[in-house]
Amino acid sequence: MRIARRLLLAGPALLAAPGGITPARAAAWSPDRPVRILIPYTPGAINDALGRLIGERFQEVLGQPGLVENRPGASGSLAIAATAQAAPDGLTIVVANTANLCMNPFLFANTGYDPRRDLAPIATVARVMNVLVVRADSPYRTLAELVAAAKAKPGALSFASSGAGSSPHLAAELFKARTGIELTHVPYRGSAPGLADLLGGRVTLSIDNLPNVLAHVQDGRMRALGVTGAERDPALPDVPTFLEAGFRGVEVYVWFGFVGPAALPAAIRDRLAGAIIGIANTPETAERIHRAGATVWTQDPAQMAALIEAGLQTWGSVIRAANLRIE
């Protein structure tokens, strides 16, 4: 993937503002205390890695450290709700993802926040695409063969996901909706057990985040049939996109970004956005984000707001059509 914004040099250039934000506005605020960075999941998750990679440069860029605080629970909703309720002073932000902001509001009766009303988009920093995989000895060698088999025997093929309502589950629901096929969902508590059952032949396929399946594809135990990106991933250059394989409307990324309370003043929001985007695009941090399994992909506050709105439209339709609800 192309890095969405040019690489910035370390030091003063980290203060450069993203598009649409004037340098004067981006530099108009400085925190007087450490910035608390909430993480919706346990240590080790990609949100956690991104929060730490960005936060460790806050002292250099903002003059105050970024302190990471893991607050898992309710599929990430606890940390997002806590941020929505925090004082709008720029001292509490959260690393959210597509599921937190665009899926959970339709899956749960009460998340404790409305992404449009209660949160202020600040900046995205990275994204990952999904990959449809089967076992290496599967009879299906292309997406077209898989779709034809699913249409011939509705519900006979099964797919593993990391849990009901997870982004891999909803990516598969989107695939079903776009192709008109029926697949049987087998949810697991995380990607690892689902992929283990795929390798064991107990399920037919999985559409999972690329970092979760890459090693299995590279060591020859799984076959990748398609990636959900707009273009092929450099790690799997021989694997076509869904569009290349003839299936439109299955472009799916899980993106990660920072949001704050809705009443966050524009000067504070823009200062944080300039710092976060600048840090993410430095060569050192970009490389470390890549090693964490993601691709640097930065969006400013207005772009992130549009991204959230588009995601709410897409995933709201998918979730309603699949009649999904998590109690």
Side-chain angles (χ1 to χ4, degrees), residues 28-43:
W29 169 83
S30 292
D32 58 3
R33 298 190 301 281
V35 178
R36 187 172 56 147
I37 303 172
L38 299 186
I39 307 295
Y41 305 105
T42 56

Side-chain angles (χ1 to χ4, degrees), residues 6-25:
R6 62 186 175 87
L7 295 178
L8 302 176
L9 298 176
L14 286 172
L15 297 177
I21 302 173
T22 65
R25 173 179 284 183

